[in-house]
């Protein structure tokens, strides 16, 4: 276990103003994405640590966002910026617990090397873009060249684009291999993995962009790890997640990490962003990818249990939740 004092984690991505209609017909407005990742990390990290969201927002949203995150105590708001007066605005309508329709009406400027300069010495960079332009590959390359912190990328961003009319649409991650050398931990779901792995020439065109069959996950993960990624984590909904890393013998190993049960699923908005927070924290704390995946599952489960930011448990209670689900050994 590593020393918990004075660590800095930067969170890169948008804080969209979301208008949410749940699968139960409930309607509410919230601020999402980086908000969830930041709150989950703030709950796990200590009072001497810093969580630094790096984000562009609209001027009309800045004070509300600062009030919301300022209550968390160990969050540094200096890089929540509104000088461009542009931020994401999204309408989310859930068809069931996991499927939703999305329309985007506002767009933040991309996060650049200049934006991350004040946190280039961070211990970890958690990149949770929701659209392909928000955290460019050039920014990851800059973090890799000039920083030393672990870089976690959520594959949601590179596999989603916006069509005319604001319709958020699936996108093939054709330039994937330009990104992989700048990523330590790649996190995504089966649908995003399918938009990142393509059949050989002459394959079935209908398979392009379809959810990746689980039997194909090891090949996809090995491809990513061969190009510089240290671990690939693919969430599997009710089945938890699959974690891939290279073992001491050089072979890529698969670990299936079961989910943590949620007795009453209230709202799944932000579960992926919360999972990314737990994944980053678990690796930072234990230097172990399986432990990281367990903490990812824990924070995703906590997020699904209610609509607000008060659903996240502190480290002591989250550690108890992890031990209850997986046994007394925190790491392998």
């Amino acid at each position: 276990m590593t020393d918990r004092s004075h660590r800095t984690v930067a969170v890169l991505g948008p804080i969209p103003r979301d208008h949410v209609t749940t699968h139960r017909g409930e309607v509410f407005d919230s601020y999402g994405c980086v908000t969830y990742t930041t709150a989950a990390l703030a709950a796990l990290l200590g009072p001497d640590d810093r969580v630094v969201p790096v984000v562009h927002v609209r001027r009309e949203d800045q004070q509300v966002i600062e009030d919301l995150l300022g209550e968390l105590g160990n969050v540094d708001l200096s890089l929540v910026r509104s000088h461009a007066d542009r931020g994401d605005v999204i309408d989310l309508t859930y068809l069931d617990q996991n499927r939703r329709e999305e329309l985007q009406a506002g767009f933040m400027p991309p996060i650049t090397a200049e934006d991350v300069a004040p946190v280039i010495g961070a211990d970890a960079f958690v990149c949770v873009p929701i659209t392909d332009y928000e955290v460019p590959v050039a920014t990851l390359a800059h973090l890799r060249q000039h920083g030393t912190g672990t870089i976690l990328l959520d594959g949601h961003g590179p596999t989603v684009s916006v069509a005319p009319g604001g319709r958020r649409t699936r996108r093939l991650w054709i330039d994937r291999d330009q990104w992989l050398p700048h990523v330590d931990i790649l996190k995504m779901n089966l649908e995003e993995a399918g938009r990142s792995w393509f059949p050989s020439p002459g394959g079935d065109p209908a398979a392009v962009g379809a959810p990746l069959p689980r039997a194909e996950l090891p090949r996809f993960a090995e491809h990513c790890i061969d190009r510089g990624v240290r671990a690939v984590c693919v969430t599997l909904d009710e089945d938890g997640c699959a974690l891939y890393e290279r073992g001491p013998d050089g072979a890529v190993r698969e670990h299936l990490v079961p989910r943590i049960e949620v007795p009453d699923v209230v709202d799944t908005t932000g579960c992926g962003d919360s999972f990314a927070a737990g994944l980053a924290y678990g690796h930072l704390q234990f230097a172990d990818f399986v432990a990281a995946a367990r903490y990812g599952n824990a924070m995703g489960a906590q997020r699904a249990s209610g609509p607000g930011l008060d659903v996240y448990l502190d480290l002591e209670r989250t550690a108890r939740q992890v031990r209850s689900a997986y046994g007394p050994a925190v790491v392998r």
Side-chain angles (χ1 to χ4, degrees):
M1 188 179 296
T2 58
D3 183 8
R4 296 191 65 251
S5 62
H6 306 295
R7 295 173 298 183
T8 298
V9 179
V11 184
L12 284 63
I15 298 182
R17 181 162 188 168
D18 291 335
H19 181 72
V20 181
T21 302
T22 72
H23 68 285
R24 297 177 175 178
E26 301 157 326
V27 179
F28 59 89
D29 291 316
S30 67
Y31 292 93
C33 194
V34 164
T35 302
Y36 300 123
T37 311
T38 298
L41 280 164
L44 292 172
L45 290 166
D48 294 327
D49 299 321
R50 285 195 312 153
V51 186
V52 189
V54 183
V55 60
H56 297 288
V57 300
R58 300 183 303 172
R59 291 193 184 100
E60 67 182 271
D61 296 324
Q62 183 168 12
Q63 190 60 57
V64 179
I65 289 170
E66 290 183 349
D67 290 344
L68 186 66
L69 296 180
E71 297 179 355
L72 302 176
N74 54 1
V75 176
D76 180 340
L77 297 171
S78 61
L79 298 184
V80 177
R81 294 167 169 167
S82 63
H83 59 278
D85 196 20
R86 288 174 52 200
D88 287 6
V89 180
I90 300 178
D91 187 273
L92 303 173
T93 302
Y94 278 84
L95 307 178
D96 55 36
Q97 287 184 10
N98 298 306
R99 296 184 304 121
R100 66 193 185 192
E101 295 177 344
E102 305 181 13
L103 292 174
Q104 186 162 345
F107 309 91
M108 64 169 265
I111 295 171
T112 66
E114 181 180 359
D115 293 323
V116 299
V119 287
I120 198 64
D123 299 279
F125 302 95
V126 186
C127 305
V128 286
I130 59 172
T131 319
D132 54 5
Y133 65 88
E134 292 158 340
V135 183
V137 64
T139 301
L140 295 188
H142 178 81
L143 295 177
R144 171 63 76 227
Q145 181 178 0
H146 298 284
T148 59
T150 300
I151 301 173
L152 183 154
L153 175 65
D154 191 323
H156 186 60
T159 60
V160 173
S161 189
V162 181
R167 183 173 59 86
R168 291 173 53 78
T169 184
R170 298 170 181 175
R171 170 187 181 270
L172 298 181
W173 194 8
I174 299 294
D175 57 344
R176 171 204 62 212
D177 288 357
Q178 297 178 27
W179 294 65
L180 297 180
H182 312 301
V183 176
D184 293 304
I185 304 173
L186 177 62
K187 173 259 174 192
M188 52 178 38
N189 60 31
L190 285 173
E191 289 74 21
E192 293 153 1
R195 302 198 288 274
S196 308
W197 188 236
F198 319 112
S200 58
D204 180 7
V208 178
L212 193 64
R214 288 179 59 173
E216 281 288 295
L217 280 178
R219 289 183 59 218
F220 168 66
E222 185 169 14
H223 177 94
C224 296
I225 291 170
D226 284 346
R227 284 152 183 80
V229 177
R230 296 172 59 199
V232 176
C233 187
V234 180
T235 56
L236 306 173
D237 295 329
E238 290 81 5
D239 293 328
C241 64
L243 188 284
Y244 299 88
E245 62 176 335
R246 195 177 300 283
D249 60 354
V252 173
R253 298 188 293 178
E254 177 185 68
H255 309 274
L256 298 178
V257 184
R259 67 170 176 166
I260 291 179
E261 296 287 341
V262 181
D264 183 21
V265 175
V266 175
D267 178 18
T268 59
T269 307
C271 284
D273 305 312
S274 305
F275 184 100
L279 192 62
Y281 171 82
H283 182 260
L284 183 64
Q285 180 70 8
F286 302 107
D288 182 279
F289 291 119
V290 173
R294 292 170 176 171
Y295 273 79
N297 281 343
M299 302 317 287
Q302 291 173 24
R303 176 69 200 99
S305 67
L309 298 184
D310 57 354
V311 295
Y312 299 113
L313 306 178
D314 61 19
L315 175 59
E316 182 178 352
R317 288 182 292 170
T318 299
R320 284 203 302 266
Q321 183 183 33
V322 170
R323 288 194 297 269
S324 176
Y326 302 112
V330 176
V331 298
R332 296 192 308 276

